[in-house]
Amino acid sequence: MVDKRRLSLGSMFQIILYQPEIPPNTGNIIRLAANTGSKLHLIEPLGFTMQDKLMRRAGLDYHEYADVQKYPNWETFLQTQAPNASRLFALSTKGVSYAHETNFLPGDWFLFGQETRGLPLELREQFDASHLLRLKMIEGQRSLNLSNTVAIVLYEAWRQHHFAGAN
């Protein structure tokens, strides 16, 4: 059950996880979505079930407050949600632009790849350089944890809008 108080505000941002593999990461992101008024979209196949105890433990009791939707594949997601391409951003270590230099708008869509492989090339190729984003890191490092990356990007976007809806 989704908390109606959250939905009455609308979804501040749209988080998309492409085939997530590690249950605690998704649990943490469910908790993040609930606490930021964002909607979470999960693109299957998932590397776990939604009943996985590690995922549920990481999300604590926030599942009832989060708006989460699953899709069988990327194509179904695009057909069902039809996000505006100009407001759809992909995060990748192979990104060209930096998230902290991007101006975000409420309702923007953020796509994140698998923990072990990131976003596949065929998905990355669907984005122009200004919408294929990365985070700054020390040279030679591979990547950040998925739930940390989602939190950094989401809070940067929300910060740009003075944490609208927060107390």
Side-chain angles (χ1 to χ4, degrees):
M1 174 173 204
V2 177
D3 184 341
K4 302 298 183 215
R5 293 170 296 167
R6 289 280 182 214
L7 292 180
S8 67
L9 296 172
S11 294
M12 187 63 177
F13 296 104
Q14 308 286 330
I15 304 164
I16 312 158
L17 300 184
Y18 181 79
Q19 301 179 355
E21 303 164 301
I22 301 173
N25 281 335
T26 299
N28 288 337
I29 296 166
I30 287 171
R31 189 174 179 175
L32 178 69
N35 280 293
T36 60
S38 299
K39 183 171 182 177
L40 176 58
H41 305 268
L42 301 174
I43 311 299
E44 296 178 318
L46 308 180
F48 51 87
T49 70
M50 291 301 286
Q51 301 309 313
D52 187 294
K53 67 180 180 178
L54 294 174
M55 195 263 310
R56 295 204 59 84
R57 183 179 303 137
L60 295 173
D61 58 351
Y62 288 83
H63 296 264
E64 67 188 77
Y65 301 110
D67 189 357
V68 180
Q69 190 166 354
K70 290 190 307 184
Y71 307 85
N73 53 53
W74 178 245
E75 293 74 24
T76 300
F77 165 76
L78 289 176
Q79 292 169 357
T80 305
Q81 294 299 315
N84 178 340
S86 71
R87 303 313 314 165
L88 176 59
F89 299 91
L91 280 291
S92 171
T93 58
K94 306 202 179 13
V96 179
S97 301
Y98 289 104
H100 70 277
E101 295 174 346
T102 303
N103 292 318
F104 298 114
L105 297 176
D108 279 353
W109 301 77
F110 302 109
L111 172 64
F112 300 87
Q114 294 173 299
E115 290 94 330
T116 60
R117 293 182 287 264
L119 285 174
L121 178 61
E122 61 270 14
L123 283 183
R124 291 194 316 266
E125 288 177 337
Q126 295 176 26
F127 293 83
D128 62 49
S130 66
H131 286 90
L132 187 58
L133 308 178
R134 65 182 302 154
L135 296 178
K136 291 242 182 206
M137 294 187 302
I138 300 295
E139 191 172 330
Q141 297 301 308
R142 294 189 328 241
S143 65
L144 294 172
N145 171 278
L146 176 63
S147 62
N148 290 340
T149 301
V150 174
I152 290 167
V153 171
L154 197 60
Y155 269 81
E156 170 57 21
W158 199 20
R159 181 199 64 79
Q160 290 179 15
H161 297 281
H162 310 287
F163 301 103
N167 57 8

